[in-house]
Amino acid sequence: MSDWPEFLPGSEDFLFISMLARGIEESEIYLATLRDGRAADPVLLMKNATAARYTPAGGGRILFVRNDNLYAQTLNRTARKLEGEPELVQQHVASSPAFGRAHFSVSRSGVVAWRPGTAGLSQVTIFNRQGKEIGTAGSPTVVQTLKLAPDENRLLIGFNATAWLLEPGRPGQQQLEQGSRETLFSPDGLKFLDAIPRPGKASVLWSTL
């Protein structure tokens, strides 16, 4: 899935982010050229959770948010690659990794507007039947689906083409080799069921840890 395309001034080149990769940290920002209605000659510029924006100011730079900070880095449009090291522009800039979008804008003259904040991540939190918080599971991340194992001791969270297994009281999370936001526990909780879409049909896949 390619999102948030932006044409570079005076050309058919454009930036976009690909969110098909496994996990928000693996999303990829590309530079491509519009040719015959298609994205031609895509070049990977970087991996980043949210899309980048371009400004011709300062010789041509892309701006992007990483770890809640806004950075700028030189883009060599002729060589189609980034140069130098990222430079910090602003701290504490909000973003929505679930949608691949950071909340800032940059003009052609280099003026930047942004919304203060942090990344919109979710923390899986556990409550007892009286509504009292009793713990958490995993680290803050993007969550689209959440499923409880039949033994009620494990959780399965999904985002796009990725799934993780969580255990209450533990900060980490284990990524499944095969999984997506549609992955389910088997009735005995020992296997995982996923439906892989294919042209004209879907294949059912069973997997184990």
Side-chain angles (χ1 to χ4, degrees), residues 189-202:
L190 300 177
K191 296 180 180 180
F192 304 99
L193 173 66
D194 207 6
I196 308 299
R198 303 185 188 281
K201 61 178 181 179

Side-chain angles (χ1 to χ4, degrees), residues 2 5 7 12-16 30-43 80:
S2 300
F7 279 103
E12 297 296 307
D13 293 339
F14 65 98
L15 297 170
F16 69 90
Y30 286 87
L31 174 65
T33 302
L34 182 64
R35 187 177 303 136
D36 298 325
R38 294 179 174 271
D41 305 322
V43 175
R80 299 172 72 83

